[in-house]
Amino acid sequence: MADAQPRSPGPTRSFVGWTKYLGPPVLLTMLVAALAVYDVSSWRARRWPEVTQPIAFNHAKHTKELGLGCDFCHKYYLTGRHSGLPGSEVCGMCHVAPLGDSPEAAKVTEILKSGKPLVFKKLFRLPDYVYYSHRRHVGIAKLECANCHDGMADTQVPPKTPLVKIRMQFCLDCHESRGVTTDCTACHR
């Protein structure tokens, strides 16, 4: 009887095993696609990271129901580079004592009574090399807040990411529609 050859355990299920059937072009394409997906998703997370605010601030309650303007809480929106975020002194004008039955309003009063600062976190961010000024856009050009912040005034809880993804094309479209300069050095430092 002839020597029996050992029987192969069958096709391997490892990554290396099945890749020999694909060939270098397919493998290279798969690698490039995987890196592109990873890079885009990690870039988005860096560009628009999720932001959690200290309280679930109800913009609609304050702007629509109570009729407060943006400048009540964002005191630099007409004159500063940044609009500013409200803190304990602004919220304390109304919430130093409990108001209504909202758990979030009670939370504000609790924070204020504790003496801890109430610190809201910036939601909209531009790259460091972009120069943007609320004074220039809102104070001088008279743009409405909704142009860049969309329905923020209608939100009942703070969004985790900006409602409008402000990219260069977004700004260029606005500048071109208004006949404003699109010279690179006007916005890029």
Side-chain angles (χ1 to χ4, degrees):
M1 188 168 216
D3 288 344
Q5 294 287 331
R7 197 163 166 215
S8 169
T12 178
R13 296 193 188 275
S14 74
F15 178 76
V16 174
W18 63 266
T19 57
K20 66 182 176 185
Y21 300 107
L22 296 178
V26 173
L27 289 174
L28 182 60
T29 302
M30 289 172 58
L31 178 63
V32 168
L35 289 173
V37 167
Y38 170 78
D39 188 54
V40 167
S41 62
S42 66
W43 176 82
R44 281 190 182 131
R46 289 189 312 269
R47 180 74 165 85
W48 293 293
E50 286 194 355
V51 174
T52 302
Q53 300 296 353
I55 59 160
F57 183 79
N58 186 337
H59 269 94
K61 169 82 174 175
H62 292 81
T63 61
K64 305 296 183 200
E65 191 176 318
L66 299 175
L68 299 177
C70 298
D71 61 332
F72 191 84
C73 296
H74 303 283
K75 60 184 173 182
Y76 306 114
Y77 92 114
L78 286 174
T79 60
R81 182 169 179 204
H82 301 288
S83 63
L85 294 169
S88 301
E89 68 287 345
V90 173
C91 299
M93 287 191 260
C94 301
H95 291 278
V96 73
L99 288 174
D101 56 1
S102 160
E104 291 304 309
K107 191 174 175 182
V108 173
T109 303
E110 183 182 311
I111 291 170
L112 294 172
K113 283 185 177 182
S114 75
K116 294 178 185 170
L118 180 57
V119 180
F120 286 95
K121 299 172 188 159
K122 191 173 170 110
L123 180 64
F124 289 82
R125 296 195 177 281
L126 294 173
D128 292 339
Y129 56 83
V130 174
Y131 178 79
Y132 174 87
S133 163
H134 274 84
R135 183 184 75 73
R136 186 190 296 178
H137 290 81
V138 182
I140 296 171
K142 306 291 185 219
L143 296 180
E144 294 292 323
C145 299
N147 286 14
C148 299
H149 297 289
D150 197 25
M152 183 63 80
D154 300 320
T155 60
Q156 294 181 355
V157 294
K160 299 266 187 203
T161 59
L163 299 177
V164 175
K165 305 294 191 236
I166 299 176
R167 295 184 173 106
M168 186 170 162
Q169 193 59 52
F170 177 86
C171 298
L172 285 172
D173 290 346
C174 185
H175 278 223
E176 288 169 358
S177 73
R178 288 171 171 73
V180 181
T181 184
T182 55
D183 181 27
C184 301
T185 59
C187 303
H188 292 266
R189 306 283 187 226

